[in-house]
Amino acid sequence: MNTKAVDGYLINEEIGYFKFQRFSEGCFEQFVNALRAMESGKGTAYYFEKGKWKKENNSGDFLQIQSYIIDLRGNPGGLLKEAVRLCDYFLNNSNTIVTVKGSKSQNQIFTDTKGGNSKRPLIILLDGKSASASEIVAGCLQRYHRAL
């Protein structure tokens, strides 16, 4: 069984592209690992040259990602805690990420806690098959004007 939930690529040496297949256990760690690999020059990179996309592995150059693309197209959702951790990474003002209202229990309020990466541009891609946790991530980050 394939347990990889996140693929990450560097585009034109400055855009971190992350495709989330689902929000399964450990997907936030997969995101962070892909991010670190990109920044250390150990990940896969794509660049556009002479009208064609070219692939490069392990450039070895230490890079600073200038912007992010989070691709949630076709992502059916998954674990709320993984979606909350992703939102927490990009927020930094003790914002409410999501409130879960139970029929018999008290409401659970999840807020960002870590002081995340709030300065670099962020784009989120969705489609008609993005659901559940994907919608929470997109809605939260758009609500606080953190993502387009």
Side-chain angles (χ1 to χ4, degrees):
M1 181 164 100
N2 184 5
T3 59
K4 190 167 184 178
V6 180
D7 290 310
Y9 307 101
L10 188 64
I11 300 173
N12 290 345
E13 297 184 359
E14 63 183 34
I15 301 168
Y17 170 85
F18 301 91
K19 171 67 175 161
F20 282 74
Q21 303 296 333
R22 62 194 166 281
F23 284 99
S24 58
E25 187 71 40
C27 77
F28 179 74
E29 279 79 20
Q30 290 178 27
F31 163 73
V32 170
N33 290 339
L35 180 63
R36 287 182 183 148
M38 281 180 205
E39 291 181 334
S40 68
K42 295 179 183 169
T44 301
Y46 288 90
Y47 61 97
F48 200 71
E49 183 177 87
K50 297 180 183 176
K52 294 184 181 181
W53 283 102
K54 297 189 177 185
K55 181 178 178 180
E56 181 178 275
N57 290 317
N58 302 321
S59 69
D61 298 329
F62 287 88
L63 303 168
Q64 184 69 39
I65 294 173
Q66 300 300 312
S67 58
Y68 300 90
I69 297 173
I70 304 295
D71 190 346
L72 302 175
R73 293 176 295 179
N75 183 320
L79 298 175
L80 177 63
K81 71 177 185 171
E82 297 293 327
V84 167
R85 291 178 75 193
L86 183 62
C87 290
D88 193 13
Y89 181 82
F90 289 105
L91 296 172
N92 67 358
N93 293 319
S94 298
N95 295 305
T96 298
I97 294 172
V98 66
T99 301
V100 178
K101 296 182 180 186
S103 59
K104 295 181 182 179
S105 63
Q106 286 187 322
N107 296 344
Q108 280 187 289
I109 300 173
F110 297 88
T111 59
D112 70 280
T113 59
K114 295 193 178 177
N117 183 342
S118 63
K119 298 190 189 260
R120 296 183 190 132
L122 171 62
I123 294 173
I124 298 185
L125 303 177
L126 297 169
D127 66 8
K129 295 181 182 177
S130 305
S132 184
S134 297
E135 294 170 308
I136 289 170
V137 169
C140 172
L141 295 175
Q142 288 176 346
R143 175 182 181 190
Y144 295 113
H145 307 287
R146 184 57 195 91
L148 295 176

